[in-house]
């Protein structure tokens, strides 16, 4: 056969060369679009997450700043109460035990805070000596919360109670208590129980917006003012995580769960004046909602762009596939015509050389075979050119079957244009044929070395290929040049624009071919 093919009709892949991917062009383009878009989508989502973390850090700082501001407002209000009580403690009527005259002053003080306020005077044992609510102190029960009274007498300074049930009112109350001195000694405990609504109004005014939870807690972490849901939470102790943090430090920011079961980004700070704690938190949902919104928008836009890109990729792949199909069809048609032409030439040669010797017919058929092999290689590469080593390997394939180690090839990778590939294939075939008949490949001991290099000292790079034989029969220069030698020299000169020289050295033939390289296409 002039043009051998594999069973499938295409050239078989060379050993050691990785198989091409079976993925179709539309799939490859889709993967390209996906591989381009997905990192961008992931990057955009990463930006959204980064912004969320920044917003969360800002929110945490904002919460901490708010609780500090609320603590200052609370301390200012309680300090005002304390200062007013200390002024009352200095009145002459109280120092002279004139409780009747003191009543008018005490009622004026209570009126500043509205209904529900109560001023009491008690001794060390908690016996009531005065009440702004009634003149009949004899019928009143003893004071509750004796611990605060004991601290007033012991420390001789204002004291602030935790939330407790008042013995007189029967309601939850807090007290601000100051000592009353006589001759440097504490003789009475002056107590003011402000309306709880004062603290409730304070947290409602200080609450930034409806998404915030603000609470005031006593020293035992019991809530005495809160928004939202004050009626359901006043009197309850703080939740676990918040309670644990408050027992360890006087100020912190943390994530917690409110008494309503709402996840909060919280902060608290303890008052150095009263020991009470201001706690505030913003709902985590309000912080994470923008993140999910940004991720949803990013994913939607990214999905639309990805879908658009995939649509264009599929359409482009279809267009390219049609063009490639037409290109392959034209190449197949060209291959068919060339092979038919070579087969026709072979048939004509058989008829023409019927009376010629077998050696002459073999020479001609070998040259046709070399052309066919070069054509097969270029067809395999879609006529885009070939690599020099592949061209040489194809041309020498018949001579490598029995003794592949006798021919050594060495040189860099050199891409060849289709024109160079065909001409060099013919030249190498002629040189190898001469070596098989007369030279190093005609016996069992001869060897051939085929080296090549690219010379770059000229405007266009040149290829130098050197065929060196050793170990063959003794070499003598021929009396006349044969057709093969003339074919080599003329092909190198006329078709390659270079030159070929054949030196018949005693140790073996050396053939040198120099040609200008075309840009492989």
């Amino acid at each position: 056969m002039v043009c051998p093919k594999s069973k499938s009709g295409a050239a078989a892949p060379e050993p050691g060369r990785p198989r091409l991917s079976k993925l179709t062009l539309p799939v490859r383009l889709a993967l390209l679009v996906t591989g381009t878009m997905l990192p961008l989508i992931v990057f955009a989502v990463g930006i959204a997450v980064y912004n969320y973390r920044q917003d969360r850090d800002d929110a945490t700082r904002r919460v901490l700043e708010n609780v500090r501001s609320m603590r200052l407002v609370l301390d200012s209000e309680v300090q005002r109460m304390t200062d007013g009580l200390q002024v009352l403690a200095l009145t002459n009527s109280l120092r002279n035990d004139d409780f009747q005259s003191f009543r008018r002053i005490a009622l004026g003080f209570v009126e500043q805070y509205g209904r529900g306020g109560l001023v009491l005077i008690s001794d060390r044992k908690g016996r009531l000596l005065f009440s702004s609510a009634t003149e009949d102190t004899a019928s009143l029960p003893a004071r509750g919360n004796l611990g605060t009274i004991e601290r007033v007498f012991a420390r001789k300074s204002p004291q602030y109670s935790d939330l407790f049930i008042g013995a007189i009112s029967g309601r939850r109350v807090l007290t601000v208590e100051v000592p009353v001195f006589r001759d440097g000694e504490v003789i009475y405990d002056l107590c003011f129980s402000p309306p709880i609504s004062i603290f409730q109004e304070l947290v409602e005014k200080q609450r930034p917006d409806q998404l915030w939870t603000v609470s005031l807690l006593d020293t035992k972490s019991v809530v005495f003012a809160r928004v939202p849901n004050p009626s359901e939470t006043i009197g309850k102790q703080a939740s676990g995580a918040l309670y644990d943090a408050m027992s360890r430090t006087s100020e912190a920011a943390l994530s917690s769960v409110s008494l309503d079961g709402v996840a909060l980004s919280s902060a608290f700070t303890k008052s150095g004046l009263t020991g009470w704690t201001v706690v505030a938190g913003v709902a985590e949902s309000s912080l994470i909602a923008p993140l999910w919104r940004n991720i949803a928008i990013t994913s939607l836009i990214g999905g639309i762009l990805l879908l658009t890109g995939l649509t264009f990729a599929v359409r482009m792949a279809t267009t390219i596939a049609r063009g490639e199909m037409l290109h392959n069809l034209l190449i197949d048609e060209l291959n068919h015509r060339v092979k038919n032409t070579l087969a026709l030439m072979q048939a004509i040669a058989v008829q023409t050389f019927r009376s010629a010797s077998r050696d002459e017919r073999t020479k001609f058929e070998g040259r046709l075979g070399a052309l066919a092999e070069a054509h097969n290689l270029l067809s395999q590469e879609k006529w885009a050119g070939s690599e020099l080593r592949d061209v040489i390997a194809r041309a020498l394939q018949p001579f490598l079957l029995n003794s592949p180690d006798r021919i050594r090839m060495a040189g860099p990778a050199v891409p060849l244009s289709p024109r160079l590939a065909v001409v060099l294939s013919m030249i190498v075939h002629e040189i190898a044929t001469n070596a098989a008949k007369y030279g190093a490949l005609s016996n069992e001991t001869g060897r051939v070395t085929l080296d090549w290099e690219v010379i770059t000292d000229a405007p266009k790079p040149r290829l130098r290929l050197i065929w060196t034989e050793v170990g063959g029969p003794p070499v003598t220069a021929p009396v006349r040049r044969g057709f093969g030698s003339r074919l080599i020299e003329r092909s190198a000169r006329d078709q390659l624009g270079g030159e070929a020289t054949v030196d018949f050295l005693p140790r073996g033939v050396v053939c040198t071919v120099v040609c200008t390289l075309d840009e492989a296409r």
Side-chain angles (χ1 to χ4, degrees), residues 139 167 224-225 229 237 311 358 364 374 383 399 436 475 481 496 501:
S139 61
F224 63 86
N229 304 325
Q237 197 169 56
T311 302
R358 180 177 181 83
F364 188 79
W383 285 85
F399 307 97
V475 176
R481 292 187 303 165
L496 299 183
T501 59

Side-chain angles (χ1 to χ4, degrees), residues 392-451:
I392 294 174
R394 287 271 187 153
L396 296 179
Q397 186 175 4
F399 307 97
L400 296 173
L401 294 177
N402 296 326
S403 53
D405 296 334
R406 296 178 64 184
I407 301 179
R408 184 185 66 83
M409 294 181 290
V414 181
L416 300 178
S417 65
R419 182 179 67 87
L420 287 179
V422 172
V423 177
L424 285 176
S425 177
M426 290 292 298
I427 290 176
V428 171
H429 172 77
E430 286 299 326
I431 296 173
T433 300
N434 289 335
K437 292 185 63 177
Y438 311 111
L441 300 181
S442 65
N443 60 15
E444 299 297 328
T445 60
R447 298 187 309 279
V448 174
T449 301
L450 184 56
D451 299 310

Side-chain angles (χ1 to χ4, degrees), residues 15-33:
R17 176 175 293 184
R19 289 181 176 271
L20 295 178
S21 171
K22 299 298 183 181
L23 297 178
T24 62
L25 181 61
V27 173
R28 292 182 184 180
L29 288 179
L31 290 176
L32 175 62
V33 172

Side-chain angles (χ1 to χ4, degrees), residues 23 44 48 61 99 115 137 186 222 237 249 343 390 417 455 511 518:
L23 297 178
R61 286 192 294 270
F99 296 123
R115 297 181 58 184
T137 57
V186 180
V222 175
Q237 197 169 56
T249 182
D390 295 335
S417 65
I455 306 170
C511 181
D518 294 335

Side-chain angles (χ1 to χ4, degrees), residues 360-394:
E360 292 175 337
R361 290 199 301 271
T362 302
K363 284 183 181 180
F364 188 79
E365 290 177 357
R367 288 160 184 162
L368 285 181
L371 281 174
E373 285 299 325
H375 176 80
N376 285 341
L377 179 60
L378 291 172
S379 298
Q380 178 181 323
E381 301 296 335
K382 304 297 184 183
W383 285 85
S386 302
E387 214 278 321
L388 176 60
R389 183 179 294 273
D390 295 335
V391 172
I392 294 174
R394 287 271 187 153

Side-chain angles (χ1 to χ4, degrees), residues 45-118:
V45 171
I47 292 292
V49 172
Y50 174 78
N51 290 335
Y52 160 72
R53 290 178 177 174
Q54 291 293 106
D55 292 343
R56 184 183 177 87
D57 292 341
D58 292 341
T60 301
R61 286 192 294 270
R62 190 168 67 250
V63 171
L64 189 56
E65 291 170 358
N66 271 275
V67 295
R68 288 170 178 168
S69 176
M70 294 176 196
R71 185 200 63 197
L72 293 176
V73 174
L74 174 64
D75 286 350
S76 176
E77 182 65 26
V78 174
Q79 187 63 56
R80 187 168 70 89
M81 296 179 189
T82 305
D83 293 343
L85 284 178
Q86 288 177 324
V87 171
L88 292 180
L90 295 174
T91 59
N92 291 328
S93 56
L94 186 55
R95 289 187 174 186
N96 297 328
D97 298 332
D98 185 1
F99 296 123
Q100 190 64 32
S101 299
F102 179 74
R103 177 173 298 279
R104 179 177 55 82
I105 300 172
L107 290 176
F109 176 80
V110 171
E111 286 178 1
Q112 300 177 55
Y113 298 95
R115 297 181 58 184
L118 182 64

Side-chain angles (χ1 to χ4, degrees), residues 63-388:
V63 171
L64 189 56
E65 291 170 358
N66 271 275
V67 295
R68 288 170 178 168
S69 176
M70 294 176 196
R71 185 200 63 197
L72 293 176
V73 174
L74 174 64
D75 286 350
S76 176
E77 182 65 26
V78 174
Q79 187 63 56
R80 187 168 70 89
M81 296 179 189
T82 305
D83 293 343
L85 284 178
Q86 288 177 324
V87 171
L88 292 180
L90 295 174
T91 59
N92 291 328
S93 56
L94 186 55
R95 289 187 174 186
N96 297 328
D97 298 332
D98 185 1
F99 296 123
Q100 190 64 32
S101 299
F102 179 74
R103 177 173 298 279
R104 179 177 55 82
I105 300 172
L107 290 176
F109 176 80
V110 171
E111 286 178 1
Q112 300 177 55
Y113 298 95
R115 297 181 58 184
L118 182 64
V119 173
L120 301 173
I121 298 175
S122 59
D123 60 14
R124 183 185 294 270
K125 295 182 179 180
R127 289 192 297 259
L128 283 175
L129 304 176
F130 173 85
S131 171
S132 62
T134 180
E135 295 182 9
D136 184 13
T137 57
S139 61
L140 296 176
R143 277 279 311 274
N145 196 32
L146 295 178
T148 305
I149 298 174
E150 291 175 357
R151 291 199 302 273
V152 169
F153 278 88
R155 299 177 184 178
K156 299 181 180 182
S157 62
Q159 299 296 315
Y160 307 93
S161 75
D162 292 325
L163 190 68
F164 67 98
I165 302 298
I168 298 175
S169 64
R171 298 191 302 269
R172 293 188 181 96
V173 295
L174 291 163
T175 60
V176 179
E177 306 184 27
V178 300
V180 178
F181 293 95
R182 182 183 293 167
D183 299 329
E185 294 296 328
V186 180
I187 59 171
Y188 300 130
D189 174 279
L190 178 58
C191 168
F192 175 54
S193 175
I196 291 293
S197 60
I198 291 178
F199 303 107
Q200 185 63 32
E201 291 173 2
L202 186 147
V203 297
E204 289 174 356
K205 290 179 180 179
Q206 296 298 313
R207 185 187 192 191
D209 58 54
Q210 299 297 316
L211 297 175
W212 285 61
T213 298
V214 181
S215 304
L216 301 181
L217 286 70
D218 63 18
T219 60
K220 295 180 180 177
S221 301
V222 175
V223 177
F224 63 86
R226 185 181 188 272
V227 283
N229 304 325
S231 60
E232 298 175 7
T233 53
I234 289 178
K236 292 185 178 180
Q237 197 169 56
S239 58
L242 183 60
Y243 180 84
D244 293 341
M246 290 170 59
S247 64
R248 295 192 302 268
T249 182
S250 60
E251 182 177 277
L254 71 160
S255 295
S256 64
V257 178
S258 72
L259 295 172
D260 306 311
V262 178
L264 301 175
S265 178
S266 308
F268 67 87
T269 183
K270 185 177 293 185
S271 169
L273 175 66
T274 62
W276 300 340
T277 302
V278 181
V279 183
V282 62
E284 293 274 7
S285 58
S286 68
L287 300 178
I288 203 170
L291 170 65
W292 291 121
R293 183 170 60 251
N294 291 338
I295 290 178
I297 293 173
T298 301
S299 301
L300 177 61
I301 295 175
I304 293 173
L305 293 177
L306 179 59
L307 182 60
T308 304
L310 290 175
T311 302
F312 277 110
V314 171
R315 293 186 63 181
M316 185 182 297
T318 303
T319 303
I320 294 174
R322 289 175 182 171
E324 186 176 357
M325 185 183 302
L326 178 60
H327 178 259
N328 291 337
L329 182 62
L330 292 175
I331 288 180
D332 290 342
E333 178 64 20
L334 175 63
N335 291 339
H336 178 70
R337 291 180 180 274
V338 170
K339 290 175 182 178
N340 286 345
T341 301
L342 290 175
L344 180 61
M345 290 177 63
Q346 189 175 24
I348 293 174
V350 169
Q351 295 296 326
T352 302
F353 291 108
R354 176 174 295 177
S355 59
S357 66
R358 180 177 181 83
D359 182 60
E360 292 175 337
R361 290 199 301 271
T362 302
K363 284 183 181 180
F364 188 79
E365 290 177 357
R367 288 160 184 162
L368 285 181
L371 281 174
E373 285 299 325
H375 176 80
N376 285 341
L377 179 60
L378 291 172
S379 298
Q380 178 181 323
E381 301 296 335
K382 304 297 184 183
W383 285 85
S386 302
E387 214 278 321
L388 176 60

